[in-house]
């Protein structure tokens, strides 16, 4: 049984597609899928239903990190292994889940912020007046990306004007951007914690008669984002997103492999991070360093977009 957050973003749709494409009857699976519409109580109900159905495995993509101890203990008491997908659970005892597969969200944020730090230096930006359209509060992706920004704001002397959740959706992202534009007339960077919020922010900026782009000196507003969905990279190619940091949603094959190993009585990694890239609209910054590791920044092209799996 797979309890999925919902369909709030292009990323989530790609994640669900990847899971359903791997966990097929042809591959030996019978998948019960539950969409929670971003509500934890729906996930708790779905997990209890899976326990009643005596499924062999429970897959959980948790909407937020806390509140899982009781239901995961019920799954453990029913001898049903739980695999956590994407966001993490914050539980008192990590024997309550067998494995987790997902991204290093803090590193994603650090990569985005270091790109901005290098970009601002290259363009001699006198000040960075930044707003943060956060993801769903309490989701691992929001926690990591926000934490990285807060640390970079301190380290680089940026002005963090506002921080508010856009719930990883385009509609909320647009609404939050509209209100931030009413409050501040000196915003020059918008840090969107996913592509769908960026789409909403871009619409709000353009509706306010301002220009989205990287020419800060001439009053353009630079939009940054995460996920590198097809639509996100298309906006990056158009120069509307200045930097998009990849968050790989293709967890289906990874979860399939974990289950096949468990079925074969083999050990599985408790946590497995996926490797991720980053893309920019131009080649002002072509590589960045985070904690002594180097990361390439790829200038986006249509060919790259056409060649990607999502
Ligand atoms: O960035 C966002 C989705 O948890 C990494 O959730 C995932 C995030 C992703 O809504 O688009």
């Amino acid at each position: 049984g797979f309890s999925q957050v919902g369909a709030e973003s292009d990323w989530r749709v790609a994640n669900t597609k990847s899971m359903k494409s791997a966990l097929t009857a042809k591959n030996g699976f019978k998948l019960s899928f539950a969409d929670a519409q971003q509500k934890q109580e729906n996930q708790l109900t779905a997990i209890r239903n899976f326990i009643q159905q005596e499924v062999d495995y429970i897959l959980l993509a948790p909407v937020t990190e806390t509140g899982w101890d009781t239901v995961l203990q019920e799954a453990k008491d029913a001898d049903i292994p739980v695999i956590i997908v994407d966001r993490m659970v914050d539980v008192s005892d990590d024997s309550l889940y067998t494995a987790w597969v997902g991204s290093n969200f803090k590193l994603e944020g650090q990569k985005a912020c270091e790109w901005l730090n290098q970009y601002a230096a290259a363009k001699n930006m006198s000040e960075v007046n930044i707003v943060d359209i956060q993801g769903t509060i309490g989701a691992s992706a929001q926690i990591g990306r926000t934490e990285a920004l807060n640390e970079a704001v301190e380290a680089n002397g940026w002005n963090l004007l506002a921080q508010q959740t856009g719930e990883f959706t385009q509609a909320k992202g647009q609404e939050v951007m509209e209100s931030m534009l009413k409050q501040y007339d000196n915003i020059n960077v918008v840090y969107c914690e996913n592509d769908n919020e960026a789409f909403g922010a871009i619409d709000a900026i353009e509706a306010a008669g301002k220009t989205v782009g990287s020419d800060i000196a001439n009053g353009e507003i630079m939009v940054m984002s995460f996920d590198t969905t097809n639509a996100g990279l298309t906006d990056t190619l158009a120069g509307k997103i200045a930097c998009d940091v990849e968050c790989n949603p293709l967890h289906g094959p990874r979860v399939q492999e974990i289950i096949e190993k468990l079925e074969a009585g083999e050990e599985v990694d408790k946590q497995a991070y996926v490797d991720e890239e980053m893309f920019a609209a131009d080649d002002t910054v072509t590589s960045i360093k985070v904690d002594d590791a180097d990361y390439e920044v790829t200038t986006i092209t249509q060919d790259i977009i056409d060649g990607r799996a999502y």
Side-chain angles (χ1 to χ4, degrees):
F2 175 31
S3 169
Q4 175 61 293
V5 171
E8 76 283 353
S9 59
D10 292 29
W11 187 97
R12 188 69 48 193
V13 171
N15 176 245
T16 295
K17 185 161 169 268
S18 172
M19 296 288 283
K20 287 184 173 177
S21 306
L23 305 178
T24 58
K26 192 168 70 64
N27 289 341
F29 295 87
K30 181 180 176 305
L31 178 66
S32 304
F33 177 80
D35 174 322
Q37 280 102 34
Q38 295 207 92
K39 291 184 177 63
Q40 179 171 38
E41 62 262 29
N42 293 341
Q43 295 201 288
L44 298 174
T45 303
I47 292 169
R48 290 187 168 109
N49 289 339
F50 294 149
I51 293 170
Q52 288 304 315
Q53 293 156 21
E54 297 182 348
V55 297
D56 297 309
Y57 295 89
I58 289 174
L59 312 178
L60 171 62
V63 61
T64 49
E65 293 196 342
T66 56
W68 302 102
D69 294 73
T70 304
V71 80
L72 294 185
Q73 185 60 51
E74 291 166 25
K76 185 175 182 182
D77 294 346
D79 284 328
I80 302 175
V82 176
I83 297 167
I84 308 296
V85 180
D86 173 28
R87 302 172 189 174
M88 177 51 95
V89 292
D90 176 8
V91 288
S92 55
D93 166 8
D94 71 5
S95 76
L96 289 174
Y97 68 92
T98 299
W100 168 81
V101 61
S103 299
N104 184 337
F105 302 113
K106 173 81 178 277
L107 176 60
E108 290 175 357
Q110 291 172 312
K111 287 156 75 172
C113 292
E114 187 48 25
W115 176 88
L116 177 57
N117 187 37
Q118 296 301 325
Y119 196 91
K123 297 288 183 178
N124 301 314
M125 282 172 66
S126 55
E127 57 185 9
V128 173
N129 300 322
I130 191 165
V131 293
D132 178 10
I133 304 182
Q134 296 174 285
T136 301
I137 299 299
S140 310
Q142 176 274 313
I143 293 168
R145 294 167 188 167
T146 295
E147 201 174 282
L149 177 64
N150 290 342
E151 289 172 5
V153 164
E154 280 304 303
N156 304 319
W158 299 341
N159 305 316
L160 179 59
L161 302 175
Q163 210 161 27
Q164 191 179 341
T165 184
E167 292 170 5
F168 286 133
T169 68
Q170 178 165 345
K172 192 73 181 165
Q174 178 167 348
E175 188 188 307
V176 167
M177 189 72 244
E178 283 165 1
S179 73
M180 288 172 169
L181 286 166
K182 288 193 181 91
Q183 291 174 60
Y184 302 97
D185 63 0
N186 59 338
I187 299 169
N188 53 29
V189 184
V190 182
Y191 184 89
C192 300
E193 295 189 4
N194 86 326
D195 280 342
N196 292 78
E197 292 177 351
F199 305 151
I202 290 164
D203 287 348
I205 291 165
E206 293 179 338
K210 297 189 173 222
T211 310
V212 172
S214 303
D215 188 2
I216 305 275
N218 288 312
E220 293 190 348
I221 296 180
M222 196 149 77
V223 173
M224 301 173 65
S225 187
F226 297 85
D227 284 353
T228 61
T229 59
N230 184 283
L233 289 176
T234 300
D235 274 354
T236 306
L237 185 64
K240 294 196 168 188
I241 290 176
C243 174
D244 204 343
V245 174
E246 183 174 34
C247 178
N248 190 300
L250 306 180
H251 295 320
R254 298 177 187 118
V255 171
Q256 178 186 352
E257 185 190 2
I258 289 169
I259 292 175
E260 286 167 354
K261 280 187 171 178
L262 292 171
E263 285 291 289
E266 292 170 25
E267 283 296 300
V268 295
D269 295 337
K270 191 74 177 171
Q271 297 195 352
Y273 288 133
V274 296
D275 292 332
E276 296 171 335
E277 300 181 67
M278 58 192 292
F279 300 89
D282 66 41
D283 61 359
T284 302
V285 178
T286 52
S287 78
I288 51 130
K289 198 183 277 289
V290 175
D291 295 336
D292 297 331
D294 291 307
Y295 298 93
E296 184 190 356
V297 180
T298 303
T299 302
I300 194 62
T301 65
Q302 189 59 53
D303 284 352
I304 290 173
I305 295 173
D306 294 343
R308 283 174 62 82
Y310 70 96

